[in-house]
């Protein structure tokens, strides 16, 4: 079928989630629908939340404006704007209700600690990964039938409670509404196609999904897109992986080619159009899918389709979706080299994750080898048992805050808030070992705070936001009639992340060297200097920055403390029970909190000024790894990656000249494998030079495509705040020397 | 007393100094004076202090720590009196702006080997190893030989980056412990060679023939400097010479002038040609000329 060339569609596709235009005759605009939500909910007061949410979902599906466009293979939803999703007022109202009725005590503690920057905590609804295999094999009607079967079985067993009934009602209303909305798309496409082959093909595709499971590559891509939209934009539950695309789609792709249904060129067009949906959404954290992995027989999952997808992505040059590549020894070198070459040409949105290291991390907290092999990669680069598990990210530890609390006897200088702990008062600390112990006690205190507060609010996740689209895909949820995001998975875990790990190690070393070894100043003197934000003590600050004792340089005596603190985090957090029947997991990931917690932290002994960002992930503080990338990897892999089953990422920044030519590619591959064979889990490269970044800061219009990765999120450099841009430029200057 | 060498800061994750991920040691001292030299700090055999004026924050730490009064502050301006400096390195450690840098530190072969072995895992994964470069590494023949021996004993792949303007005996000694020779080739004509480097090329060609006859693995590196050695005639003659040798590959390294600040920091006269980096087309043309003479040539940036 002669569809329009992709180039002609690009403009429409870029605008689809930014400034779309809808035919008003198709329904109500987003704002109007949103305004109707609370009154509608009010009219259902007293009904269980899943039913109310289902009905609201249904209302949106029936009324929101739609589009089926000749420039696109996928339909348009007027609830395209993530920040204005129509159901948000309802979820916010239920959140307030839970806060007021159940969480007064714990929230008081949580807000105080958030405010003073001991931690950064929030209720997380951002990390679901549906069972894509169920979605592909059953389709929407099949998911509905399966849910009905589980319901009937429960009834037969005489175990139908009010809660279970509400759970199944909610799913049924939701999935029926999905089918109704497909009807609307089909009708619109047929009425407006005017013989346009693409719109007619789209109508056929949607008709199949209205009645059954997808049968070919186009229908599979369509259902992935639709599920994403229904789940994330209407049901308001973030989908944190579009799945293991090459593995999932390969059988359909093969059949399409063998049976002559589609040409390879046609399939490339479908993928280009599919990837552009997320290219247009362009959330700063990116939407991931992953490629690769290992089959049960030990061979690689990388296939012709993996190459095709990578190639299509390469040509699109959009910063999102982002791609994680599951790497093992069996990963074809050709494939790795293509990915590495893309990275050095500026595709900074590719991440490598090591299957072998994940296996080690997962089995060490009790997962089976098979569960580890088949785990999903989701979010930035985290791993989660496929179908069986859901892990929320509930709190970030501020690894630098203990210094302020030690120096000020539990008082946060900026907010004046006072916290109690077992740690000794400053005047009682006479040795570095006392200081180390005080640091650990405050860290312990922060972790206990996070666990206490999150146990309280995580009991209520399903009351605030029942995850009906997601639950309908998860067999253990259907079996137990429990919400999959709350406690209906087999593994309902919660991860505790951290920010400022590397900065904290450097700060400990500074206290050790300057207070206890060189005796240049006393602890009270240090306190006064920090509380005045180094005023009048710039030379001391520079001496500290210049000290060779910095994490990330392969220095044994420094890395020893890094290792001890990492082990403490792991020992303290891993396998502690949460309130959803699962456990806590330590994560070495920082998301954006290295900036936000930095803003809430005063000057620290590592030479950092008040308010400045801190180190991110398990990486060293910006510019402190002066011994090069091999020393950096030695330092980081000295930490046992299995200590962080929540994630173990490393950021590596390199200058383009370093990795140019065939030798450059060989070196990148060598670096990757050295890291992975030393149990490192995730690694992402940023490759650019300072001059380019400086120019991009001055002339953003000329560099709209320039990508950087910020802690797992790939963003356009020109869209970063100036402060963040400056940090990247500074870093690039350091590596250039 | 054990042998010691004088080296610059070792470069880890060296990617373009032989196969795989390598650690490169730059040994100080060089018999040539190439006008385009990118590592002027490696030329004199003795340690010397560099002062990067643009980095100086005028903290004055060097003034108080220098035992010889080589640093002074006048009207809040730093002055460095090179003639008084003994290159003891005390000021480098004290300098808060990282403006002072001591080029050249003593190290034993044992220390250098231990340092190199820290990155053994990277060599193993990438087929890399250790490269001795400079300056001219064989300007310190005993240290060079001992270090190469120790590295070979430890099972590390070794490369020697040499200009070949060295005594035959030194070359012969390292032959059994060097896996690959990276040989600089600067000009085919001896009198031009003398103009550009201070020495004729007879000894170099002689040594190249020797290495070739002895079956050494040789990679030739040609600094491709516009206006100096980039003429078609020179490339053709170079191709004829190299085509007659047992050379594995030839790389053309495009000239750039990023090393200028180093000359200033060392108080050295800047001799670098005022030439723009050669265009990829220009290099591709030279590559074709060399290939026509059965030389396995390529651009160093490919």
């Amino acid at each position: 079928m002669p569809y329009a060339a992709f180039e002609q569609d690009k403009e429409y596709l870029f605008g689809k989630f930014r400034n779309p235009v809808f035919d008003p005759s198709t329904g109500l605009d987003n704002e109007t629908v949103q305004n109707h939500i609370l009154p509608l909910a009010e009219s259902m007061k007293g009904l269980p939340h899943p039913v109310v949410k289902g009905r609201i979902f249904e209302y949106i599906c029936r009324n929101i404006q739609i589009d089926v466009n000749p420039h696109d293979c996928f339909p348009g939803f007027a609830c395209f704007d993530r920040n204005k999703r129509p159901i948000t007022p309802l979820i916010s109202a239920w959140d307030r209700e839970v806060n007021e009725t159940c969480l007064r005590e714990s929230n008081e503690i949580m807000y105080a600690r958030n405010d003073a920057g001991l931690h950064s905590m929030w209720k997380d609804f951002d990390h679901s990964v549906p069972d894509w295999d169920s979605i592909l094999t059953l389709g929407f009607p099949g998911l509905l039938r399966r849910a009905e079967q589980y319901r009937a079985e429960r009834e037969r067993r005489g175990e139908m409670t009010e809660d279970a009934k509400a759970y199944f009602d909610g799913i049924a209303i939701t999935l029926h509404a999905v089918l109704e909305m497909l009807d609307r798309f089909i009708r619109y496409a047929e009425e407006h196609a005017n013989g346009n082959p693409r719109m007619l093909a789209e109508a056929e595709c949607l008709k199949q999904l209205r009645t059954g499971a997808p049968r070919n590559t186009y229908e599979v891509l369509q259902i992935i897109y639709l599920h994403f939209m229904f789940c994330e934009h209407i049901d308001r539950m973030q989908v944190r992986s579009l799945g293991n695309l090459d593995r999932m789609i390969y059988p359909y792709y093969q059949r399409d080619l063998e049976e002559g249904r589609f040409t390879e060129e046609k399939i490339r067009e479908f993928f280009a159009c599919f990837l552009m949906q997320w290219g247009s959404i362009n959330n700063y954290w990116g939407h991931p899918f992953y490629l690769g992995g290992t089959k049960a027989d030990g061979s690689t999952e990388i296939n012709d389709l993996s190459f095709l997808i990578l190639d299509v992505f390469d040509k699109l040059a959009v910063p999102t979706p982002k791609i994680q590549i599951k790497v093992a020894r069996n990963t074809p070198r050709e494939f790795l080299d293509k990915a590495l070459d893309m990275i050095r040409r500026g595709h900074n949105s590719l991440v490598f994750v090591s299957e072998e290291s994940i296996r080690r991390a997962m089995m060490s907290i009790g997962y089976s080898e098979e569960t580890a092999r088949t785990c999903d990669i989701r979010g930035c680069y985290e791993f989660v048992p496929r179908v069986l598990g859901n892990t929320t990210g509930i709190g970030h530890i501020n690894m630098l805050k203990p210094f302020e609390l030690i120096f000020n006897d539990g008082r946060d200088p900026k907010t004046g808030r006072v916290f109690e702990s077992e740690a000794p008062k400053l005047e009682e600390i006479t040795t570095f070992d006392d200081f180390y112990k005080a640091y650990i006690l405050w860290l312990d205190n922060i972790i206990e705070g996070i666990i206490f507060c999150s146990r309280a609010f995580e009991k209520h996740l399903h009351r605030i936001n029942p995850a009906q689209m997601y639950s309908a895909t998860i067999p253990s949820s259907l079996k137990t009639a429990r919400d999959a995001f709350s406690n209906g998975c087999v593994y309902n875990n919660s991860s505790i992340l951290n920010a400022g790990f590397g900065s904290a190690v450097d700060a400990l070393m500074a206290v050790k060297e300057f207070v206890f070894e060189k005796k240049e100043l006393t602890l009270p003197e240090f306190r006064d200097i920090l509380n005045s934000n180094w005023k009048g003590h710039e030379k001391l600050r520079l001496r500290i920055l210049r000290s060779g004792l910095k994490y990330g340089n392969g220095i044994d005596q420094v890395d020893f403390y890094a290792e001890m603190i990492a082990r403490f985090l792991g020992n303290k957090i891993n396998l502690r029970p949460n309130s959803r029947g699962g456990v806590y997991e330590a994560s070495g990931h920082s998301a954006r909190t290295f900036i936000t917690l930095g803003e809430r932290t005063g000057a620290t002994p590592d030479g950092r000024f008040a308010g400045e960002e801190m180190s991110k992930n398990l990486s060293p503080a910006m510019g402190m790894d002066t011994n090069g990338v091999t020393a950096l990897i030695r330092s980081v892999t000295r930490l046992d990656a299995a200590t962080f089953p929540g994630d173990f990422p490393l950021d590596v920044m390199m200058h383009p000249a370093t990795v140019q030519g065939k030798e450059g590619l060989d070196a990148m591959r060598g670096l990757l494998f050295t890291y992975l064979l030393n149990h490192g889990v995730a690694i992402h490269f940023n490759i650019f030079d300072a001059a380019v970044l400086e120019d991009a800061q001055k002339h953003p219009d000329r560099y709209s495509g320039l990508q950087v990765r910020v802690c797992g999120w790939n963003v356009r450099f020109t869209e970063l705040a100036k402060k963040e841009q400056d940090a990247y430029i500074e870093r690039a200057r350091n590596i250039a020397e | 007393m054990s042998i010691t060498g004088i080296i610059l800061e070792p470069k880890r994750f060296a990617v373009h100094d032989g196969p795989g991920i390598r650690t490169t040691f730059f040994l100080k001292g060089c018999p040539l004076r190439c006008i385009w030299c990118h590592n002027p700090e490696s030329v004199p055999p003795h340690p010397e202090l560099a002062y990067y004026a643009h980095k100086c924050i005028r903290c004055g730490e060097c003034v108080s720590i220098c035992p010889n009064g080589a640093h002074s502050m006048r009207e809040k301006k730093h002055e460095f009196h090179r003639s008084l400096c003994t290159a003891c390195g005390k000021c480098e450690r004290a300098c808060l702006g990282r403006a002072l840098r001591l080029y050249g530190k003593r190290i034993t072969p044992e220390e250098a080997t231990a340092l190199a072995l820290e990155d053994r895992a990277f060599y193993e994964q990438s087929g890399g190893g250790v490269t001795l470069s400079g300056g001219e590494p064989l300007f310190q023949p005993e240290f060079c030989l001992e270090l190469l021996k120790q590295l070979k004993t430890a099972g590390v792949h070794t490369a020697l980056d040499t200009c070949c303007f060295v005594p035959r005996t030194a070359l012969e000694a390292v032959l059994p412990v060097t896996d690959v020779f990276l040989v600089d080739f600067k000009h085919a004509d001896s009198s031009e060679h003398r103009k550009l480097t201070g020495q004729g090329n007879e000894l170099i060609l002689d040594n190249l023939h020797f290495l070739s006859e002895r079956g050494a693995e040789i990679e030739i590196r040609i600094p491709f400097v516009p206006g100096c050695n980039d003429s078609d005639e020179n490339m053709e003659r170079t191709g004829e010479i190299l085509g007659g040798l047992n050379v594995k590959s030839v790389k053309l390294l495009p000239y750039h002038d990023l090393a200028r600040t180093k000359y200033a920091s060392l108080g050295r006269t800047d001799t670098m040609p005022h030439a723009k980096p050669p265009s990829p087309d220009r290099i591709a043309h030279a590559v074709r000329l060399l290939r026509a003479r059965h030389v396995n040539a390529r651009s160093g940036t490919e």
Side-chain angles (χ1 to χ4, degrees):
Chain A
M1 274 176 287
Y3 296 161
F6 179 73
E7 278 309 310
Q8 293 167 359
D9 303 327
K10 225 171 173 177
E11 192 184 336
Y12 168 83
L13 291 171
F14 259 122
K16 183 174 179 183
F17 285 85
R18 299 172 192 219
N19 47 7
V21 180
F22 291 91
D23 174 355
S25 74
T26 57
L28 304 174
D29 63 60
N30 192 67
E31 200 183 340
T32 309
V33 171
Q34 196 183 57
N35 289 339
H36 290 175
I37 299 304
L38 285 182
L40 194 61
E42 187 60 27
S43 74
M44 292 184 275
K45 210 172 169 95
L47 292 178
H49 283 192
V51 173
V52 177
K53 194 183 177 201
R55 291 291 172 212
I56 302 279
F57 183 100
E58 179 187 67
Y59 177 79
I60 298 166
C61 289
R62 284 176 179 170
N63 293 289
I64 195 94
Q65 288 169 351
I66 58 167
D67 189 24
V68 178
N69 199 287
H71 289 293
D72 197 354
C73 303
F74 305 94
F77 293 67
C79 48
F80 65 90
D81 187 345
R82 255 197 117 259
N83 297 319
K84 296 176 187 160
R85 286 171 291 182
I87 213 164
T88 298
L90 177 69
I91 306 304
S92 305
W94 285 346
D95 185 34
R96 276 195 301 278
E97 192 180 295
V98 167
N99 282 341
E100 281 159 17
T101 54
C102 314
L103 300 174
R104 276 178 187 266
E105 187 203 352
S106 64
N107 273 355
E108 200 176 314
I109 294 168
M110 186 171 90
Y111 295 153
R113 287 171 171 249
N114 267 342
D115 185 41
L118 275 67
H119 60 218
S120 189
M121 289 187 76
W122 60 84
K123 301 181 189 97
D124 173 30
F125 293 104
D126 292 344
H127 288 95
S128 78
V129 185
D131 176 17
W132 290 111
D133 292 322
S134 281
I135 295 170
L136 264 52
T137 49
L138 298 173
F140 294 125
L143 288 172
L144 180 59
R145 272 196 304 281
R146 184 173 73 172
E148 281 164 355
Q149 284 162 5
Y150 273 105
R151 177 185 195 133
E153 242 167 69
R154 180 167 282 270
E155 265 163 1
R156 249 199 321 279
R157 291 200 307 268
E159 292 170 6
M160 188 57 83
T161 60
E162 284 304 310
D163 284 349
K165 191 168 170 300
Y167 166 89
F168 285 113
D169 283 346
I171 286 177
I173 298 165
T174 300
L175 287 173
H176 275 294
V178 166
L179 298 179
E180 271 190 56
M181 195 166 184
L182 295 189
D183 283 333
R184 292 181 65 209
F185 287 130
I186 293 164
R187 219 165 28 243
Y188 185 84
E190 288 181 337
E191 284 169 12
H192 294 78
N194 286 328
N196 180 292
R198 187 186 248 179
M199 284 176 73
L200 291 171
E202 189 169 341
E204 285 309 307
C205 173
L206 293 164
K207 274 186 194 165
Q208 174 58 30
L209 301 184
R210 171 67 183 83
T211 53
R215 301 161 308 177
N216 59 47
T217 306
Y218 179 28
E219 290 165 7
V220 165
L221 293 176
Q222 184 74 266
I223 203 168
I224 294 172
Y225 166 74
L226 286 170
H227 180 89
F228 169 87
M229 288 304 296
F230 283 116
C231 196
E232 184 150 336
H233 283 246
I234 304 185
D235 210 26
R236 210 186 183 284
M237 182 60 60
Q238 198 171 327
V239 178
R240 288 307 267 144
S241 175
L242 302 173
N244 192 185
L245 290 191
D246 49 357
R247 177 189 64 81
M248 282 157 41
I249 305 179
Y250 192 56
Y252 301 88
Y253 164 79
Q254 263 185 317
R255 240 181 0 250
D256 287 343
L257 292 182
E258 278 164 19
E259 296 171 8
R261 191 170 302 106
F262 300 123
T263 60
E264 191 189 300
E265 193 190 358
K266 182 88 248 155
I267 290 173
R268 281 175 180 270
E269 188 186 318
F270 288 140
F271 269 98
C273 196
F274 176 79
L275 297 177
M276 277 304 294
Q277 308 296 316
W278 289 275
S280 177
I281 293 174
N282 196 24
N283 287 334
Y284 67 86
W285 55 83
H287 282 286
F289 63 86
Y290 68 102
L291 300 174
T294 294
K295 294 178 183 167
D297 68 5
S299 63
T300 181
E301 290 280 10
I302 298 289
N303 53 45
D304 302 347
L305 186 61
S306 323
F307 281 91
L308 183 147
I309 295 171
L310 207 55
D311 198 46
V312 171
F313 182 71
D314 190 5
K315 293 191 171 97
L316 283 183
V318 286
T320 175
K322 59 186 176 191
I323 305 180
Q324 299 123 344
I325 297 172
K326 245 186 178 183
V327 179
R329 283 170 203 262
N330 60 28
T331 311
R333 181 170 160 168
E334 229 186 317
F335 187 77
L336 278 180
D337 283 359
K338 175 159 179 66
L340 288 166
D341 181 49
M342 282 169 70
I343 290 171
R344 65 180 179 171
R345 284 189 284 108
H347 275 290
N348 291 321
S349 60
L350 297 174
V351 177
F352 299 98
V353 291
S354 160
E355 281 201 290
E356 176 54 33
S357 308
I358 289 174
R359 183 171 75 125
R360 207 170 153 270
M362 287 182 76
M363 290 178 75
S364 73
I365 57 163
Y367 290 113
S368 74
E369 190 165 4
E370 181 62 5
T371 302
R373 179 183 71 79
T374 56
C375 76
D376 274 329
I377 308 302
R378 62 119 219 237
C380 295
Y381 18 49
E382 309 94 272
F383 38 96
V384 66
R386 186 186 295 159
V387 197
L388 305 174
N390 178 60
T391 306
T392 52
I394 45 90
H396 292 74
I397 304 162
N398 181 345
M399 299 292 291
L400 281 179
K401 191 51 87 170
F403 291 96
E404 279 195 288
L405 297 172
I406 294 170
F407 278 114
N408 296 287
D409 293 337
R411 184 177 166 277
D412 175 55
K414 194 172 171 191
T415 59
R417 291 181 185 273
V418 178
F419 300 91
E420 300 284 330
S421 89
E422 304 289 313
K425 299 274 181 247
L426 192 68
E427 62 182 31
E428 294 161 0
I429 296 174
T430 56
T431 65
F432 175 69
D433 204 37
D434 290 347
F435 193 93
Y436 174 77
K437 181 67 187 162
Y439 178 78
I440 291 293
L441 286 170
W442 273 113
L443 206 53
D444 184 285
N445 180 286
I446 293 173
I447 295 168
E448 288 301 331
I450 291 175
I451 289 179
F452 175 80
C453 298
S454 60
R455 273 184 184 152
F457 69 64
E458 285 221 303
K459 280 181 209 158
H460 305 284
L461 293 181
H462 57 286
R463 282 184 59 198
I464 299 167
N465 191 8
Q468 333 219 81
M469 282 299 295
Y470 170 48
S471 294
T473 73
I474 304 292
S476 66
S477 168
L478 294 162
K479 195 172 168 193
T480 55
R482 286 201 296 252
D483 189 273
F485 200 81
S486 187
N487 56 0
C489 278
V490 177
Y491 306 105
N492 307 286
N493 296 346
S494 312
S495 69
I496 298 179
L497 303 85
N498 73 71
F501 178 87
S503 302
V505 176
D506 293 352
L508 273 178
M509 289 301 102
V511 170
K512 185 169 188 272
E513 182 183 358
F514 288 83
V515 177
F516 293 102
E517 288 170 5
K518 292 184 177 163
K519 300 189 195 303
E520 283 200 27
L521 71 174
T522 65
L523 286 175
E525 283 164 356
F526 215 160
R527 172 196 57 209
D528 295 343
I529 289 169
L530 294 174
N531 286 348
S532 71
N533 201 18
W534 300 100
K535 204 171 167 198
H537 295 276
E538 182 60 9
K539 279 193 186 179
L540 172 66
R541 196 183 78 85
L542 289 172
R543 270 205 302 284
I544 289 174
L545 285 179
R546 282 226 51 186
S547 153
L549 299 176
K550 300 283 185 252
Y551 168 66
N553 292 294
I555 302 164
D556 269 348
Q557 64 188 110
V558 180
D559 294 349
F560 169 78
Y561 283 96
E563 188 188 346
M564 290 308 107
I565 293 168
R567 286 199 188 281
F568 177 76
L569 291 175
N571 288 335
K572 183 78 196 164
I573 295 168
N574 287 326
L575 298 177
R576 294 273 295 275
N578 65 10
S579 59
R580 300 184 290 123
V583 296
Y584 288 95
E585 294 174 358
S587 164
H589 184 22
S590 304
R592 270 173 84 88
T593 56
F594 66 101
I595 296 170
T596 54
L597 283 172
E599 286 164 358
R600 281 178 272 159
T601 306
T604 41
D606 52 326
R608 195 185 130 274
F609 282 118
E612 278 189 342
E613 69 170 52
M614 42 182 87
S615 65
K616 57 179 182 268
N617 293 345
L618 297 166
S619 303
M622 198 73 120
M624 289 299 119
D625 51 328
T626 51
N627 265 353
V629 67
T630 57
L632 166 66
I633 288 181
R634 276 189 275 118
S635 276
V636 172
T637 53
R638 173 157 177 183
L639 313 175
D640 184 352
T643 305
F644 294 97
D647 204 9
F648 188 88
L650 175 68
D651 323 271
V652 173
M653 193 155 157
M654 286 193 287
H655 192 272
T658 308
V659 290
Q660 77 183 9
K662 182 191 161 295
E663 291 89 346
L665 204 62
D666 290 344
M668 280 175 93
R669 197 183 332 96
L671 200 62
L672 172 68
F673 273 100
T674 310
Y675 175 69
L676 301 184
L677 292 174
N678 283 286
H679 312 311
V681 176
I683 182 165
H684 61 73
F685 296 95
N686 270 303
I687 295 176
F688 35 52
D689 63 50
V692 171
L693 297 185
E694 280 165 9
D695 202 41
Q697 194 176 46
K698 276 185 218 136
H699 309 286
D701 45 319
R702 292 181 209 161
Y703 292 90
S704 58
L706 183 67
Q707 303 167 19
V708 296
R709 284 190 77 91
V710 181
C711 247
W713 301 328
N714 48 299
V715 293
R716 292 196 164 91
F717 180 76
T718 52
E719 291 170 4
L720 289 170
K722 175 153 190 310
K723 201 169 135 190
E724 292 170 81
Q725 288 183 345
D726 289 343
Y728 268 85
I729 292 170
E730 183 55 32
R731 181 84 180 92
R733 280 196 196 116
N734 287 329
I735 56 160
E737 278 176 8
Chain B
M1 198 182 131
S2 166
I3 310 158
T4 60
I6 298 177
I7 64 163
L8 305 172
E9 196 73 22
K11 181 175 169 57
R12 297 173 190 266
F13 196 66
V15 169
H16 299 100
D17 295 331
I21 298 172
R22 312 187 72 80
T23 298
T24 300
F25 290 104
F26 299 94
L27 279 67
K28 261 179 84 81
C30 188
L32 300 184
R33 294 293 179 270
C34 306
I35 61 167
W36 55 72
C37 182
H38 283 63
N39 297 318
E41 73 278 20
S42 70
V43 174
H46 51 80
E48 59 187 328
L49 189 74
Y51 166 57
Y52 288 92
H54 67 282
K55 289 183 142 192
C56 177
I57 58 168
R58 289 166 280 280
C59 64
E61 297 287 303
C62 53
V63 180
S64 25
I65 204 155
C66 179
N68 306 308
H71 299 283
S72 63
M73 294 288 274
R74 205 167 56 180
E75 290 167 6
K76 291 193 177 174
K77 224 178 146 208
H78 173 249
E79 286 180 352
F80 174 44
H81 314 285
R82 189 170 293 281
S83 58
L84 298 177
C85 176
T86 60
C88 68
K90 282 183 182 152
C91 61
E92 186 199 33
R93 289 188 291 276
C95 176
L96 296 178
R98 296 178 199 257
L100 295 169
R101 197 150 163 206
L102 182 66
Y103 284 122
K105 281 163 197 163
R106 289 204 170 272
I107 190 168
T108 65
E110 290 75 17
E111 287 164 342
T113 303
L115 191 148
L117 287 178
E118 289 175 350
D119 282 347
R120 184 197 276 276
F122 295 89
Y123 313 148
E124 285 171 358
Q125 278 311 308
S126 65
V130 171
T131 299
L132 305 194
S133 180
E136 167 52 56
L138 290 174
F139 213 75
Q140 300 182 45
E142 289 173 356
F143 173 74
C144 196
L145 176 62
E146 185 53 32
L147 178 51
L148 287 169
K149 274 186 189 167
Q150 291 192 15
L151 290 166
K152 281 321 294 174
T153 307
V156 174
H157 179 276
T158 55
L160 188 74
D161 183 1
T162 173
C163 68
C164 265
F165 193 82
V166 295
R168 169 71 53 81
T169 46
L171 209 52
E172 204 162 4
V174 297
L175 195 56
V177 284
T178 303
D179 292 310
V180 54
F181 287 85
L182 311 171
V183 181
D184 293 353
F185 192 94
K186 300 163 205 269
H187 208 291
D189 179 83
S190 190
S191 62
E192 284 299 312
H193 197 279
R194 188 179 300 279
K195 275 190 218 158
L196 296 168
T197 73
Q199 301 288 347
N201 69 6
E202 292 80 3
L203 176 59
I204 293 169
L205 293 178
D206 205 31
N207 277 332
L208 253 178
H209 277 285
F210 165 74
L211 287 176
S212 172
E213 279 158 20
R214 294 288 292 266
E217 186 177 326
I218 305 171
E219 181 188 307
I220 299 287
R221 290 137 69 98
I222 303 177
F224 193 72
V225 190
C228 292
N229 63 356
D230 66 333
S231 70
D232 285 3
E233 190 199 346
N234 183 41
M235 281 301 126
E236 283 160 4
R237 282 197 61 190
T238 301
E240 278 153 22
I241 294 168
L242 297 179
L245 292 170
N246 181 19
V247 163
K248 195 177 171 195
S249 62
V250 174
K251 254 204 257 179
L252 289 163
L253 307 176
Y255 172 77
H256 62 76
D257 63 357
L258 298 178
R260 278 192 205 285
T261 50
K262 282 199 221 169
Y263 282 85
S265 75
L266 293 161
R268 196 88 46 81
T269 311
D270 177 359
T271 56
M272 297 189 80
H274 286 273
K276 285 199 171 131
S279 70
D281 286 349
R282 191 81 195 84
I283 293 176
H285 173 68
V287 166
R288 276 194 298 278
L289 292 177
L290 290 168
R291 283 192 182 160
R293 282 148 190 85
H294 311 292
V295 172
N296 177 25
R298 67 180 171 108
S299 161
T301 57
E302 269 169 19

